[in-house]
Amino acid sequence: MKLKQLLSVLLAFTVLFSVMTACGSTSDEPDSAVTTSSTEAEEEAVTVDRDNTYAYDEDAPSLYEAFAQWFKVGTAMNISDLVEGTEEFEILVKQYNVFTLENESKPDAMHPSEDVYNFDALDQLVEFANEYDKTVRGHTLVWHSQCPDWFFYDDDGNTVSADVLVERLIEHVTTIVSHYKGEVDVWDVCNEVLGDSGGLRDSMWYQIIGDYDGDGDSYDYIEIAFTAAHEADPDARLIINDYSLESSESKAISMYMMVKSMLEEGIPIDGIGLQMHVDIGFDVETCKNNVEILMKLKSIDPDFVIEVTELDLSCFTWSDTSTEVELTDEFLEQFDSLYSDIFEMFIEFSEAGYLDSVVFWGYYDGMSWLNGYPVSGRTNYPLLIDRDYKLKSAYWSLIDLAESKS
Ligand code: G3I
């Protein structure tokens, strides 16, 4: 009799509890049941406050994961950013999967005098990349800027002969690329070899080495650098990197003509780097047109690609000399939708088999080279993460784009 009574009390309790739960779930108030039964996107909307999410937050999305089906996403950084446990470190690991040193793997840093090589910074980046399964871009072996004078002058201050400079060039490229054989996946072998008014830049490399093999063209220093890099690491991807290829058709054509002739001679160039330091006046259609010109090189090498190597989006057009910009809702809408159009174009490039990776030139606004350049005292906001490491609305527009295209 007692057991029967106990069972009926338990039954009554169970019925009452079920009724209460059912009533609760029909209420208009959001509750946990609503969150768990909603779609993933709705869940994110409930749990992530887009205006207050930091790039290192555990529940923040990951940029490189969002675009993984199309291309890798990377950033330039400094070796001082790689301190485990810091916010910078967490951002890098979470948001990007390709890394390049902003300054520490340039000739002046890595090879400051003939007998001195500094491998420390790039060694550290390689170690980090191996541990976290990331890709490393080496930037850059040959450049007219940030290149020490010792390459070009002898002890008496006279310019060296073509033979001497060729020997120094081969030694420089071979030593560095061999040191990183199998570790640095991609090299910007030559940077900014074209001049602004068409044709080759009038650099010391060009002036001294010139038409070294006497075949009628004067880009022999480029050919020598690529050949030496390929011999030192046949598996590394070798890139010729330049600016304004995305906006100047004549520069894109110059690049196309020069690379075409080198590929036909069998020079091992695997791709063209588009720096893409673009601004708020950027024209996506011009960029698509120029990339189509460059990608005609696929008829010579079907694996030939472009890489976006130094992306940022200045809030000031080139002719604007002001130092401040007001980030009004209207301006941000324009900025965000331009970033979104650019990434939509990148997706198209990737789907056409053109594009391998997109690397930003810095990962938060406070570190960008565009602060103070080209106008001194300027504050710029060209990236996707703000000065406090919060995700900007442009970041979210890219996440939405990736989701809508998936
Ligand atoms: O390290 C010195 C420091 O010791 C000194 O006190 C200080 C005073 O000016 O200068 C420091 O060096 C600066 C260096 O960045 C490191 O911060 C140089 O002056 C400065 O000129 C240098 O600027 C770099 C620039 O390349 C040089 O051309 C930028 O950080 C770097 O973002 C920029 O990167 C280039 C790419 O390599 C190629 N494409 C264009 C891109 C933007 O210019």
Side-chain angles (χ1 to χ4, degrees), residues 102-103 106 139 143 145-146 191-192 275 277 310 361 369:
E102 185 179 8
N103 286 296
K106 291 174 178 173
H139 173 84
W143 194 17
S145 174
Q146 288 179 287
N191 193 35
E192 302 176 359
Q275 292 188 0
H277 294 293
E310 305 185 16
W361 205 243
W369 72 292

PDB file of all heavy atoms in Angstrom, residues 102-103 106 139 143 145-146 191-192 275 277 310 361 369, ligand 1:
ATOM      1  N   GLU A 102      57.766  41.034 -41.437  1.00  0.00           N
ATOM      2  CA  GLU A 102      57.587  42.342 -42.078  1.00  0.00           C
ATOM      3  C   GLU A 102      58.929  42.944 -42.505  1.00  0.00           C
ATOM      4  O   GLU A 102      59.018  43.582 -43.549  1.00  0.00           O
ATOM      5  CB  GLU A 102      56.849  43.304 -41.144  1.00  0.00           C
ATOM      6  CG  GLU A 102      56.533  44.628 -41.811  1.00  0.00           C
ATOM      7  CD  GLU A 102      55.775  45.604 -40.924  1.00  0.00           C
ATOM      8  OE1 GLU A 102      55.603  45.327 -39.721  1.00  0.00           O
ATOM      9  OE2 GLU A 102      55.355  46.660 -41.447  1.00  0.00           O
ATOM     10  N   ASN A 103      59.965  42.755 -41.709  1.00  0.00           N
ATOM     11  CA  ASN A 103      61.277  43.328 -42.042  1.00  0.00           C
ATOM     12  C   ASN A 103      62.456  42.385 -41.804  1.00  0.00           C
ATOM     13  O   ASN A 103      63.515  42.573 -42.386  1.00  0.00           O
ATOM     14  CB  ASN A 103      61.516  44.604 -41.210  1.00  0.00           C
ATOM     15  CG  ASN A 103      60.680  45.771 -41.725  1.00  0.00           C
ATOM     16  OD1 ASN A 103      60.863  46.230 -42.863  1.00  0.00           O
ATOM     17  ND2 ASN A 103      59.743  46.231 -40.914  1.00  0.00           N
ATOM     18  N   LYS A 106      64.601  40.470 -44.685  1.00  0.00           N
ATOM     19  CA  LYS A 106      65.056  41.246 -45.848  1.00  0.00           C
ATOM     20  C   LYS A 106      66.588  41.223 -45.873  1.00  0.00           C
ATOM     21  O   LYS A 106      67.227  40.925 -44.842  1.00  0.00           O
ATOM     22  CB  LYS A 106      64.512  42.668 -45.749  1.00  0.00           C
ATOM     23  CG  LYS A 106      62.988  42.715 -45.949  1.00  0.00           C
ATOM     24  CD  LYS A 106      62.405  44.089 -45.705  1.00  0.00           C
ATOM     25  CE  LYS A 106      60.910  44.094 -45.968  1.00  0.00           C
ATOM     26  NZ  LYS A 106      60.272  45.361 -45.582  1.00  0.00           N
ATOM     27  N   HIS A 139      60.450  36.702 -47.212  1.00  0.00           N
ATOM     28  CA  HIS A 139      60.347  38.013 -47.891  1.00  0.00           C
ATOM     29  C   HIS A 139      61.532  38.873 -47.476  1.00  0.00           C
ATOM     30  O   HIS A 139      61.601  39.252 -46.339  1.00  0.00           O
ATOM     31  CB  HIS A 139      59.044  38.688 -47.480  1.00  0.00           C
ATOM     32  CG  HIS A 139      58.894  40.096 -47.982  1.00  0.00           C
ATOM     33  ND1 HIS A 139      58.421  40.385 -49.236  1.00  0.00           N
ATOM     34  CD2 HIS A 139      59.163  41.294 -47.411  1.00  0.00           C
ATOM     35  CE1 HIS A 139      58.381  41.694 -49.409  1.00  0.00           C
ATOM     36  NE2 HIS A 139      58.835  42.272 -48.320  1.00  0.00           N
ATOM     37  N   TRP A 143      66.110  42.834 -53.504  1.00  0.00           N
ATOM     38  CA  TRP A 143      65.303  44.055 -53.526  1.00  0.00           C
ATOM     39  C   TRP A 143      66.248  45.229 -53.679  1.00  0.00           C
ATOM     40  O   TRP A 143      67.411  45.143 -53.257  1.00  0.00           O
ATOM     41  CB  TRP A 143      64.494  44.155 -52.216  1.00  0.00           C
ATOM     42  CG  TRP A 143      63.384  45.151 -52.198  1.00  0.00           C
ATOM     43  CD1 TRP A 143      62.799  45.755 -53.269  1.00  0.00           C
ATOM     44  CD2 TRP A 143      62.713  45.656 -51.033  1.00  0.00           C
ATOM     45  NE1 TRP A 143      61.788  46.596 -52.844  1.00  0.00           N
ATOM     46  CE2 TRP A 143      61.716  46.554 -51.486  1.00  0.00           C
ATOM     47  CE3 TRP A 143      62.845  45.448 -49.656  1.00  0.00           C
ATOM     48  CZ2 TRP A 143      60.861  47.236 -50.615  1.00  0.00           C
ATOM     49  CZ3 TRP A 143      62.007  46.115 -48.795  1.00  0.00           C
ATOM     50  CH2 TRP A 143      61.017  46.999 -49.269  1.00  0.00           C
ATOM     51  N   SER A 145      65.616  48.038 -52.170  1.00  0.00           N
ATOM     52  CA  SER A 145      65.501  48.741 -50.900  1.00  0.00           C
ATOM     53  C   SER A 145      65.887  47.777 -49.776  1.00  0.00           C
ATOM     54  O   SER A 145      65.827  46.563 -49.953  1.00  0.00           O
ATOM     55  CB  SER A 145      64.048  49.190 -50.750  1.00  0.00           C
ATOM     56  OG  SER A 145      63.815  49.748 -49.506  1.00  0.00           O
ATOM     57  N   GLN A 146      66.245  48.318 -48.625  1.00  0.00           N
ATOM     58  CA  GLN A 146      66.649  47.481 -47.491  1.00  0.00           C
ATOM     59  C   GLN A 146      67.668  46.419 -47.918  1.00  0.00           C
ATOM     60  O   GLN A 146      67.616  45.271 -47.485  1.00  0.00           O
ATOM     61  CB  GLN A 146      65.423  46.857 -46.800  1.00  0.00           C
ATOM     62  CG  GLN A 146      64.619  47.900 -46.023  1.00  0.00           C
ATOM     63  CD  GLN A 146      63.387  47.332 -45.359  1.00  0.00           C
ATOM     64  OE1 GLN A 146      62.399  47.015 -46.037  1.00  0.00           O
ATOM     65  NE2 GLN A 146      63.402  47.203 -44.049  1.00  0.00           N
ATOM     66  N   ASN A 191      61.811  41.340 -55.484  1.00  0.00           N
ATOM     67  CA  ASN A 191      60.749  42.255 -55.087  1.00  0.00           C
ATOM     68  C   ASN A 191      60.875  43.574 -55.842  1.00  0.00           C
ATOM     69  O   ASN A 191      61.956  44.154 -55.896  1.00  0.00           O
ATOM     70  CB  ASN A 191      60.884  42.515 -53.577  1.00  0.00           C
ATOM     71  CG  ASN A 191      59.675  43.188 -52.972  1.00  0.00           C
ATOM     72  OD1 ASN A 191      58.550  42.926 -53.384  1.00  0.00           O
ATOM     73  ND2 ASN A 191      59.897  44.065 -52.002  1.00  0.00           N
ATOM     74  N   GLU A 192      59.750  44.006 -56.430  1.00  0.00           N
ATOM     75  CA  GLU A 192      59.649  45.351 -57.028  1.00  0.00           C
ATOM     76  C   GLU A 192      60.712  45.614 -58.091  1.00  0.00           C
ATOM     77  O   GLU A 192      61.386  46.644 -58.073  1.00  0.00           O
ATOM     78  CB  GLU A 192      59.685  46.412 -55.918  1.00  0.00           C
ATOM     79  CG  GLU A 192      58.566  46.204 -54.905  1.00  0.00           C
ATOM     80  CD  GLU A 192      58.602  47.161 -53.713  1.00  0.00           C
ATOM     81  OE1 GLU A 192      59.512  48.000 -53.655  1.00  0.00           O
ATOM     82  OE2 GLU A 192      57.719  47.048 -52.857  1.00  0.00           O
ATOM     83  N   GLN A 275      51.177  42.585 -54.480  1.00  0.00           N
ATOM     84  CA  GLN A 275      51.240  43.118 -53.111  1.00  0.00           C
ATOM     85  C   GLN A 275      49.846  43.553 -52.647  1.00  0.00           C
ATOM     86  O   GLN A 275      49.438  43.299 -51.539  1.00  0.00           O
ATOM     87  CB  GLN A 275      52.222  44.283 -53.050  1.00  0.00           C
ATOM     88  CG  GLN A 275      53.664  43.873 -53.267  1.00  0.00           C
ATOM     89  CD  GLN A 275      54.652  45.013 -53.022  1.00  0.00           C
ATOM     90  OE1 GLN A 275      54.275  46.143 -52.690  1.00  0.00           O
ATOM     91  NE2 GLN A 275      55.927  44.697 -53.173  1.00  0.00           N
ATOM     92  N   HIS A 277      48.565  46.737 -51.990  1.00  0.00           N
ATOM     93  CA  HIS A 277      48.370  47.855 -51.047  1.00  0.00           C
ATOM     94  C   HIS A 277      47.337  48.758 -51.718  1.00  0.00           C
ATOM     95  O   HIS A 277      47.682  49.660 -52.476  1.00  0.00           O
ATOM     96  CB  HIS A 277      49.680  48.601 -50.822  1.00  0.00           C
ATOM     97  CG  HIS A 277      50.708  47.769 -50.130  1.00  0.00           C
ATOM     98  ND1 HIS A 277      50.576  47.356 -48.821  1.00  0.00           N
ATOM     99  CD2 HIS A 277      51.875  47.243 -50.561  1.00  0.00           C
ATOM    100  CE1 HIS A 277      51.623  46.619 -48.480  1.00  0.00           C
ATOM    101  NE2 HIS A 277      52.423  46.535 -49.525  1.00  0.00           N
ATOM    102  N   GLU A 310      50.593  41.253 -49.776  1.00  0.00           N
ATOM    103  CA  GLU A 310      50.748  42.352 -48.800  1.00  0.00           C
ATOM    104  C   GLU A 310      49.464  43.169 -48.690  1.00  0.00           C
ATOM    105  O   GLU A 310      49.498  44.404 -48.650  1.00  0.00           O
ATOM    106  CB  GLU A 310      51.910  43.261 -49.220  1.00  0.00           C
ATOM    107  CG  GLU A 310      53.221  42.530 -49.421  1.00  0.00           C
ATOM    108  CD  GLU A 310      54.399  43.445 -49.719  1.00  0.00           C
ATOM    109  OE1 GLU A 310      54.318  44.665 -49.496  1.00  0.00           O
ATOM    110  OE2 GLU A 310      55.425  42.915 -50.194  1.00  0.00           O
ATOM    111  N   TRP A 361      49.240  42.724 -44.928  1.00  0.00           N
ATOM    112  CA  TRP A 361      50.502  43.334 -44.498  1.00  0.00           C
ATOM    113  C   TRP A 361      50.304  43.897 -43.088  1.00  0.00           C
ATOM    114  O   TRP A 361      50.220  45.101 -42.864  1.00  0.00           O
ATOM    115  CB  TRP A 361      50.993  44.404 -45.492  1.00  0.00           C
ATOM    116  CG  TRP A 361      52.488  44.572 -45.385  1.00  0.00           C
ATOM    117  CD1 TRP A 361      53.159  45.701 -45.005  1.00  0.00           C
ATOM    118  CD2 TRP A 361      53.490  43.578 -45.643  1.00  0.00           C
ATOM    119  NE1 TRP A 361      54.525  45.461 -45.004  1.00  0.00           N
ATOM    120  CE2 TRP A 361      54.753  44.168 -45.388  1.00  0.00           C
ATOM    121  CE3 TRP A 361      53.455  42.239 -46.041  1.00  0.00           C
ATOM    122  CZ2 TRP A 361      55.958  43.467 -45.528  1.00  0.00           C
ATOM    123  CZ3 TRP A 361      54.655  41.545 -46.174  1.00  0.00           C
ATOM    124  CH2 TRP A 361      55.873  42.161 -45.924  1.00  0.00           C
ATOM    125  N   TRP A 369      52.117  49.800 -41.472  1.00  0.00           N
ATOM    126  CA  TRP A 369      53.087  50.750 -42.027  1.00  0.00           C
ATOM    127  C   TRP A 369      52.385  51.990 -42.574  1.00  0.00           C
ATOM    128  O   TRP A 369      53.006  53.026 -42.780  1.00  0.00           O
ATOM    129  CB  TRP A 369      53.888  50.072 -43.151  1.00  0.00           C
ATOM    130  CG  TRP A 369      53.087  49.841 -44.406  1.00  0.00           C
ATOM    131  CD1 TRP A 369      52.041  48.978 -44.552  1.00  0.00           C
ATOM    132  CD2 TRP A 369      53.238  50.505 -45.666  1.00  0.00           C
ATOM    133  NE1 TRP A 369      51.543  49.044 -45.832  1.00  0.00           N
ATOM    134  CE2 TRP A 369      52.263  49.980 -46.550  1.00  0.00           C
ATOM    135  CE3 TRP A 369      54.119  51.476 -46.145  1.00  0.00           C
ATOM    136  CZ2 TRP A 369      52.126  50.409 -47.864  1.00  0.00           C
ATOM    137  CZ3 TRP A 369      53.978  51.890 -47.474  1.00  0.00           C
ATOM    138  CH2 TRP A 369      52.984  51.369 -48.307  1.00  0.00           C
TER     139      TRP A 369
HETATM  140  O1  G3I B   1      64.702  49.277 -37.157  1.00  0.00           O
HETATM  141  C1  G3I B   1      64.900  50.689 -37.301  1.00  0.00           C
HETATM  142  C2  G3I B   1      65.094  51.322 -35.951  1.00  0.00           C
HETATM  143  O2  G3I B   1      66.269  50.815 -35.373  1.00  0.00           O
HETATM  144  C3  G3I B   1      65.165  52.844 -36.153  1.00  0.00           C
HETATM  145  O3  G3I B   1      65.267  53.458 -34.921  1.00  0.00           O
HETATM  146  C4  G3I B   1      63.935  53.350 -36.866  1.00  0.00           C
HETATM  147  C5  G3I B   1      63.974  54.847 -37.154  1.00  0.00           C
HETATM  148  O4  G3I B   1      63.370  55.190 -38.364  1.00  0.00           O
HETATM  149  O5  G3I B   1      63.825  52.685 -38.102  1.00  0.00           O
HETATM  150  C6  G3I B   1      63.687  51.293 -37.962  1.00  0.00           C
HETATM  151  O6  G3I B   1      63.619  50.740 -39.220  1.00  0.00           O
HETATM  152  C7  G3I B   1      62.398  50.937 -39.915  1.00  0.00           C
HETATM  153  C8  G3I B   1      61.863  49.566 -40.289  1.00  0.00           C
HETATM  154  O7  G3I B   1      60.724  49.694 -41.096  1.00  0.00           O
HETATM  155  C9  G3I B   1      61.495  48.734 -39.054  1.00  0.00           C
HETATM  156  O8  G3I B   1      60.481  49.363 -38.343  1.00  0.00           O
HETATM  157  C10 G3I B   1      62.679  51.735 -41.180  1.00  0.00           C
HETATM  158  O9  G3I B   1      63.051  53.060 -40.832  1.00  0.00           O
HETATM  159  C11 G3I B   1      61.466  51.753 -42.054  1.00  0.00           C
HETATM  160  O10 G3I B   1      61.796  52.349 -43.308  1.00  0.00           O
HETATM  161  C12 G3I B   1      60.995  50.343 -42.319  1.00  0.00           C
HETATM  162  O11 G3I B   1      59.828  50.397 -43.085  1.00  0.00           O
HETATM  163  C13 G3I B   1      59.451  49.181 -43.706  1.00  0.00           C
HETATM  164  C14 G3I B   1      59.434  49.355 -45.222  1.00  0.00           C
HETATM  165  O12 G3I B   1      58.981  48.152 -45.823  1.00  0.00           O
HETATM  166  C15 G3I B   1      60.823  49.664 -45.762  1.00  0.00           C
HETATM  167  O13 G3I B   1      60.777  49.818 -47.133  1.00  0.00           O
HETATM  168  C16 G3I B   1      58.060  48.820 -43.219  1.00  0.00           C
HETATM  169  O14 G3I B   1      58.105  48.519 -41.821  1.00  0.00           O
HETATM  170  C17 G3I B   1      57.532  47.610 -43.992  1.00  0.00           C
HETATM  171  O15 G3I B   1      56.185  47.417 -43.681  1.00  0.00           O
HETATM  172  C18 G3I B   1      57.649  47.882 -45.481  1.00  0.00           C
HETATM  173  O16 G3I B   1      57.228  46.734 -46.176  1.00  0.00           O
HETATM  174  C19 G3I B   1      57.199  46.850 -47.597  1.00  0.00           C
HETATM  175  C20 G3I B   1      57.461  45.478 -48.186  1.00  0.00           C
HETATM  176  O17 G3I B   1      58.663  44.948 -47.688  1.00  0.00           O
HETATM  177  C21 G3I B   1      57.516  45.552 -49.724  1.00  0.00           C
HETATM  178  N1  G3I B   1      56.330  46.154 -50.246  1.00  0.00           N
HETATM  179  C22 G3I B   1      55.938  47.428 -49.677  1.00  0.00           C
HETATM  180  C23 G3I B   1      55.832  47.314 -48.149  1.00  0.00           C
HETATM  181  C24 G3I B   1      55.341  48.613 -47.549  1.00  0.00           C
HETATM  182  O18 G3I B   1      56.263  49.644 -47.775  1.00  0.00           O
END
